[in-house]
Each structure stands twice: as structure tokens, then as C-alpha cells.
């Protein structure tokens, strides 16, 4: 856990480094405040766009890094399962040798040492208990009572590594002789890896998503109607349109001859840059939304 939490700390960065989510957010808020005070200042607009891009990149990097760490736990679990199976098989094999030698009255001390080392390896991976029977064989059990080694032989764990892991990847269950025991393994390194994989890291992703959603909602344009006006008769090449958004008035760049509403939207994109996505019909822009404008008394709608 300590090893992985250090990785998580490095993802979020040191407060004094200037490369944290908080730092990127502070710079974005400052740029937003500046552009709100001087909305038609191209320098302020450019700085706002840059700060927004930096914040988005920072959030994306943090999100990707969390999944990278989660992928690391997935890979480590697969390696641990291989080690666990090898150790259990070793204990079962040594049991047979020890029982035979004990029946013949020969010393088994060296083999018992090897078996104890294998048991120690198992105990580092997951919680177990054990006892030795009268014939010298060792029985190994999980802390929840499943038999891992007995006179019959060794049990077998299975786990399939996912390879590339994203927030939506369905990761493998941990199985013991084909039965799902993921929720039963809570101790040892495997228990820690499962806790990180299934609880701690997805929890971080959920918090990051909530933060991003809250940020989007706070920064979104809230005005749902955009009245457009022009100063002459029919629209002509070079005309500009005025948009009132959240009570502030903005002019578009020059339009082409016979402009469509799509042309007006493109002009707004050029003008507003970071605010190119403008809410129409209430709330954040959705697929199928249209722009509407009244020009010389005639209503028009975008395609």
C-alpha cells in the first residue's frame, strides 16, 4: 500500500511544484476573471484559452496516471497468482517427500525448512493458517477456511491480466479452483492490490470525474437565448452580427455573402475561442441543438 500511495502522491504532485491540479485550476480561474472584466481583449481571451487547455491536459494526465497505476495492480496480481500457485505446488510436493522419509525413519529437517520457506511466501501473498498432521504433511488453509494444500495436493488460483486498463475495463476476478474468491482475499500483498484495484483507485477516478463535472457546470455559459441583430437590409459579405451572452454584447468577425446560421456559428467560434460551445435551448450544448436569430424581422435557424 505504501508503495502505491507514493505513486499516487507523485501523480497529484507537490503543492510547491506549480504543476498540480490546484495550480492549474487557480490559473484558469484567474484567467476567467480577467476575460470577464475585459471580454473583448484578445490577449485576455488567448490567456484564458491557454489556461483552460492546461487545466484540461492536467486533469487528463491525472486520470490517465490513475488508470496506469490500476493497470500496475492488475499486472502485479497476475504475477502474485503465479508465485502463489508455485509455492502451493512446492508445499504439496514436499509433503509427499517428507511423509515418505518420515515413514522410513529418516531425517526431514532440510525438506521441512524448504516447506517453511514456501509457506512464508504464501503468507506474504495472502492470509493463511497451517498445521502438520501425524504423517508429517502440512495442511494450509485460507483465513476464511478454504483448503489450499492437503494430502490430496495443492489448490489452484487463476487470474487473467487485462493488459491495457481504462476506467471502464472489466478486470478479472480471482478464482480458487474455479470459484470466485475476490472478496475473500483481504490480507497480504494480494489483498492490498485488490483493495487498490477495486476500491481506492476507482474512488479517486470518481472524485476526479465529480470535480470535472462541477468545473464544467460552473464554467458553462448559462444564457439560453442568443438574439442576433444586423444594421442593414439583407445580410451581405462583410456584415457582422452581435450576440448578447450572459448580459454582455459581442461582435462576430466579418461574415461571407449570404451567410447561413452555420456561418454565424463559425464566426462566433472565431470570436470566442474558448467559449465556442454556446448553450442553446438551456443547459450545456447537446447534439441536435440549433441556433436561432431574427434578421430584419425574419427568424432564421441553423442547420
Amino acid at each position: 500500500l505504501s508503495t502505491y500511495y507514493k505513486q499516487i502522491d507523485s501523480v497529484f504532485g507537490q503543492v510547491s511544484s506549480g504543476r498540480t491540479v490546484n495550480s492549474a485550476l487557480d490559473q484558469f480561474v484567474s484567467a476567467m476573471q480577467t476575460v470577464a472584466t475585459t471580454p473583448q481583449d484578445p490577449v485576455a481571451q488567448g490567456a484564458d484559452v491557454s489556461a483552460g487547455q492546461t487545466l484540461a491536459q492536467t486533469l487528463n494526465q491525472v486520470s490517465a496516471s490513475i488508470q496506469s497505476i490500476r493497470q500496475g495492480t492488475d499486472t502485479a496480481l497476475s504475477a502474485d497468482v503465479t508465485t502463489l500457485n508455485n509455492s502451493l505446488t512446492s508445499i504439496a510436493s514436499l509433503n509427499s517427500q517428507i511423509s515418505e522419509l518420515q515413514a522410513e525413519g529418516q531425517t526431514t529437517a532440510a525438506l521441512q525448512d524448504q516447506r517453511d520457506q514456501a509457506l512464508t511466501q504464501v503468507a506474504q501473498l495472502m492470509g493463511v493458517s497451517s498445521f502438520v498432521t501425524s504423517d508429517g504433511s502440512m495442511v494450509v488453509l485460507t483465513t476464511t477456511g478454504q483448503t489450499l494444500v492437503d494430502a490430496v495436493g495443492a489448490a489452484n488460483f487463476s487470474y487473467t491480466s487485462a493488459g491495457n486498463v481504462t476506467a471502464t475495463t472489466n478486470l478479472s476476478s480471482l478464482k480458487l479452483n474455479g470459484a470466485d474468491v475476490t472478496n475473500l482475499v483481504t490480507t497480504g500483498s494480494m489483498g492490498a492490490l485488490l483493495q487498490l484495484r477495486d476500491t481506492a483507485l476507482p474512488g479517486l477516478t470518481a472524485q476526479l470525474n465529480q470535480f470535472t463535472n462541477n468545473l464544467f457546470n460552473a464554467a458553462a455559459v448559462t444564457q439560453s437565448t442568443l438574439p442576433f441583430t444586423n444594421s442593414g437590409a439583407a445580410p451581405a459579405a462583410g456584415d457582422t452580427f452581435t450576440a448578447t451572452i450572459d448580459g454582455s454584447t459581442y461582435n462576430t468577425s466579418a461574415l461571407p455573402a449570404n451567410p447561413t446560421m452555420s456561418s454565424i456559428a463559425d464566426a462566433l467560434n472565431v470570436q470566442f475561442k474558448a467559449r465556442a460551445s454556446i448553450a442553446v435551448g438551456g443547459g450545456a450544448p447537446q447534439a441536435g441543438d440549433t441556433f436561432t436569430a431574427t434578421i430584419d424581422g425574419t427568424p432564421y435557424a441553423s442547420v
Side-chain angles (χ1 to χ4, degrees):
L1 287 175
S2 176
T3 297
Y4 281 91
Y5 282 137
K6 286 178 181 177
Q7 292 182 36
I8 293 171
D9 283 343
S10 68
V11 167
F12 285 93
Q14 299 298 316
V15 175
S16 59
S17 68
R19 296 187 298 275
T20 64
V21 172
N22 282 351
S23 176
L25 176 61
D26 289 343
Q27 293 174 15
F28 176 64
V29 170
S30 177
M32 287 281 284
Q33 291 170 339
T34 300
V35 82
T37 303
T38 56
Q40 293 178 313
D41 181 357
V43 175
Q45 293 174 3
D48 193 22
V49 172
S50 178
Q53 290 173 335
T54 298
L55 177 58
Q57 290 169 358
T58 300
L59 291 170
N60 286 334
Q61 288 170 358
V62 170
S63 179
S65 296
I66 291 173
Q67 298 313 315
S68 178
I69 295 174
R70 194 162 177 248
Q71 181 174 324
T73 64
D74 178 62
T75 302
L77 274 166
S78 180
D80 277 0
V81 166
T82 298
T83 301
L84 177 60
N85 284 332
N86 289 339
S87 297
L88 293 176
T89 299
S90 178
I91 292 172
S93 175
L94 289 165
N95 273 347
S96 298
Q97 298 176 56
I98 290 170
S99 295
E100 291 178 5
L101 290 176
Q102 182 172 304
E104 297 171 358
Q106 300 186 43
T107 180
T108 61
L111 294 177
Q112 289 180 28
D113 286 344
Q114 293 179 41
R115 189 174 63 184
D116 288 343
Q117 291 173 9
L119 179 64
T120 298
Q121 180 68 71
V122 171
Q124 290 172 350
L125 298 173
M126 61 181 298
V128 294
S129 62
S130 65
F131 62 90
V132 177
T133 62
S134 58
D135 68 349
S137 297
M138 175 180 285
V139 175
V140 182
L141 306 169
T142 69
T143 53
T144 51
Q146 287 84 11
T147 300
L148 299 182
V149 181
D150 59 13
V152 176
N156 182 73
F157 284 86
S158 58
Y159 183 85
T160 304
S161 178
N164 185 47
V165 173
T166 68
T168 58
T169 302
N170 291 321
L171 298 179
S172 172
S173 58
L174 176 65
K175 294 183 177 181
L176 173 60
N177 293 335
D180 189 345
V181 293
T182 306
N183 294 330
L184 300 179
V185 179
T186 59
T187 57
S189 65
M190 290 173 61
L193 289 169
L194 287 168
Q195 176 186 337
L196 286 161
R197 189 199 75 165
D198 297 338
T199 304
L201 293 170
L204 279 178
T205 297
Q207 291 179 50
L208 187 65
N209 289 342
Q210 184 62 54
F211 170 82
T212 303
N213 289 336
N214 290 343
L215 177 64
F216 173 80
N217 292 333
V221 175
T222 57
Q223 184 72 21
S224 62
T225 59
L226 303 175
F228 295 92
T229 61
N230 77 330
S231 58
D239 279 356
T240 61
F241 279 77
T242 300
T244 301
I245 303 175
D246 293 341
S248 297
T249 301
Y250 306 91
N251 292 319
T252 69
S253 57
L255 296 169
N258 301 314
T260 64
M261 284 306 300
S262 295
S263 301
I264 296 172
D266 290 339
L268 286 170
N269 288 349
V270 172
Q271 173 67 23
F272 299 133
K273 298 181 176 66
R275 301 181 68 178
S277 296
I278 302 171
V280 178
Q286 302 292 322
D289 282 352
T290 61
F291 288 92
T292 60
T294 299
I295 304 173
D296 294 336
T298 302
Y300 297 84
S302 64
V303 179

